[in-house]
Amino acid sequence: MPTPANTPVPMRALLAGARRKQPALLKLIQQLVAVESPTDVKSAVDACVALAATHAHSLGGRVKLHRQRAFGHILEARFGPRSKTSPAGRTLLLGHLDTVWPLGTLKSMPCRIAPGPDGELRLWGPGTLDMKAGVAIAFTALEMLAEASLLNREIILLLNSEEEIGSPVSQPTTEALAAQCAAVYVLEPAQGLAYKTARKGTGSFRIDVYGTAAHAGVDFEKGVSALRELASLIETVSSFTDLKRGLTVNVGVAGGGSKTNVIPAHAWAEIDVRIARKADGPRIERKFAALKSTDKRCSLVLTGGVNRLPMERTPGTVKLYRQARALAAELGLDLPEAATGGASDGNITSALGIPTLDGMGAVGEGAHAAHESVLISQLPLRTALLAGLLAR
Ligand SMILES: [Zn+2]
């Protein structure tokens, strides 16, 4: 266990306060979950954004909507004293309000409180863990700090509306606001109990192979099989995997051909790439771009690339984690850290070189799955930890 830091932040008082606020926190999560917000239904996401904006306003937040055409609006809310100068004291709280769940999911997956298989009480429902509970934790931490007069620096809460499809339009806003801050706390779910200090970067590629169709019985020698060529390419790209570097290449979906008696003229594959090191981004893109067909009569079309650089475990991120661990130690908890293969908006801010700590939202299970749920007993501790970090 790390020794408790010499800090003026009263962690035990914060935890007691978070316990008192637990019923209101649960109610806020339920309100957010009740407004279903699939990424691809703008009006639905906007309704959830409006609810969050109203709540931010009621807590004294200076609310600004970054209006979007194709996706839900992006919510920016600033709390604490206005600071016009350097990012030194400013912190960004980063989250999203969209979910992967289509409208109507609540009918088959109602938001309810019930014990899980382990007997522990959970809040179930679409978007609970990923990540409406994280958003509610952030609001509650801000409310507690304001009430305890500990809101002594400017905090920006940024909630976007299309994270689940890779943040195609919010990325510039995230980058611009992160650049005004000295630290970024991401409200994504915890991994077990752990905060996340590293995430892999992601890439997706597609290969289309074109050969020549022919009758498999009559004109076999005139045909050029795109599928056979693709089989060889699948072997080649799979060999790019380098587990020691944390680099993986997965050909996840492939297809081609039309009938068993036709030499296939077209075949394709879709490929997921994960990288642990920034430098591997351009490196793997070059390797894909250099792919050639072994049969010169086939042609290739390559699309895609690396879309998220990794969130590396930088010294700045480690420093944030150590602060969190010291605060947790004051509450008798040994806070673990974890690395994950999945990407989040934390990858964006980390790639800018801004210290980023992720996984600071709720503890639970089943993000994007039917058993999505949040452990209720962990909510006060997560809230107190986030509040403690923001008060430092
Ligand atoms: Zn998420």
Side-chain angles (χ1 to χ4, degrees):
M1 297 277 286
T3 46
N6 220 350
T7 160
V9 182
M11 284 310 294
R12 292 198 174 275
L14 283 177
L15 181 58
R19 289 209 166 107
R20 281 193 298 275
K21 287 206 182 286
Q22 181 176 308
L25 168 57
L26 263 177
K27 196 172 151 225
L28 179 57
I29 305 171
Q30 286 166 309
Q31 284 170 339
L32 289 167
V33 173
V35 184
E36 292 181 299
S37 50
T39 317
D40 57 353
V41 186
K42 174 177 165 57
S43 57
V45 184
D46 278 343
C48 198
V49 172
L51 178 65
T54 304
H55 196 76
H57 190 75
S58 75
L59 297 179
R62 302 181 288 279
V63 174
K64 176 178 172 185
L65 280 188
H66 299 256
R67 296 188 176 273
Q68 303 297 320
R69 276 165 188 269
F71 297 98
H73 301 318
I74 301 166
L75 172 65
E76 172 191 338
R78 294 183 182 236
F79 298 85
R82 282 168 212 272
S83 78
K84 290 200 178 75
T85 49
S86 74
R90 220 186 271 121
T91 305
L92 181 65
L93 283 173
L94 189 52
H96 62 88
L97 284 167
D98 62 320
T99 76
V100 295
W101 298 101
L103 288 180
T105 300
L106 277 171
K107 279 189 214 115
S108 56
M109 225 175 114
C111 184
R112 67 190 214 284
I113 295 171
D118 54 359
E120 274 231 54
L121 217 51
R122 291 162 184 261
L123 177 70
W124 305 79
T128 46
L129 180 63
D130 189 9
M131 57 178 301
K132 290 175 176 177
V135 171
I137 285 172
F139 276 131
T140 307
L142 288 164
E143 187 179 13
M144 285 170 44
L145 291 179
E147 287 172 4
S149 302
L150 287 169
L151 206 49
N152 41 29
R153 288 172 303 149
E154 186 166 38
I155 294 162
I156 308 176
L157 173 66
L158 178 65
L159 301 176
N160 69 41
S161 294
E162 24 68 287
E163 191 276 342
E164 294 294 0
I165 57 163
S167 307
V169 299
S170 63
Q171 179 163 351
T173 307
T174 300
E175 288 176 340
L177 292 182
Q180 298 175 23
C181 295
V184 179
Y185 297 148
V186 186
L187 305 166
E188 291 286 354
Q191 184 156 322
L193 293 177
Y195 279 1
K196 295 169 186 169
T197 51
R199 284 182 180 272
K200 282 191 178 177
T202 56
S204 59
F205 293 88
R206 179 182 164 109
I207 300 173
D208 283 277
V209 184
Y210 297 93
T212 308
H215 191 297
V218 182
D219 280 328
F220 185 86
E221 21 329 63
K222 289 186 184 154
V224 180
S225 171
L227 266 176
R228 193 176 174 191
E229 182 62 38
L230 180 66
S232 145
L233 286 163
I234 288 175
E235 276 303 316
T236 305
V237 301
S238 299
S239 75
F240 295 164
T241 291
D242 185 342
L243 291 177
K244 275 201 207 97
R245 292 181 74 82
L247 191 163
T248 58
V249 177
N250 178 52
V251 181
V253 206
S258 54
K259 298 249 171 16
T260 53
N261 62 356
V262 179
I263 311 280
H266 177 221
W268 55 271
E270 288 174 352
I271 302 147
D272 175 283
V273 172
R274 307 273 157 160
I275 52 173
R277 305 181 194 185
K278 244 189 223 182
D280 281 344
R283 198 170 145 254
I284 194 74
E285 282 186 335
R286 278 197 299 276
K287 284 183 114 166
F288 270 90
L291 284 173
K292 293 218 162 45
S293 50
T294 46
D295 186 326
K296 296 284 168 283
R297 295 169 299 168
C298 282
S299 62
L300 305 185
V301 177
L302 177 80
T303 45
V306 170
N307 40 41
R308 282 266 182 280
L309 289 171
M311 175 178 141
E312 290 183 335
R313 189 179 180 277
T314 61
T317 291
V318 170
K319 199 173 158 201
L320 293 181
Y321 163 67
R322 294 220 167 108
Q323 286 173 358
R325 193 167 181 231
L327 294 182
E330 288 178 42
L331 299 172
L333 173 85
D334 192 2
L335 180 75
E337 72 174 308
T340 172
S344 84
D345 285 335
N347 292 58
I348 298 173
T349 59
S350 173
L352 292 179
I354 302 160
T356 300
L357 195 54
D358 204 334
M360 301 183 64
V363 175
E365 274 178 344
H368 302 197
H371 62 294
E372 179 164 2
S373 57
V374 163
L375 275 177
I376 292 175
S377 64
Q378 291 289 333
L379 288 171
L381 190 69
R382 306 299 283 190
T383 309
L385 263 183
L386 181 59
L389 276 165
L390 289 172
R392 277 184 79 104

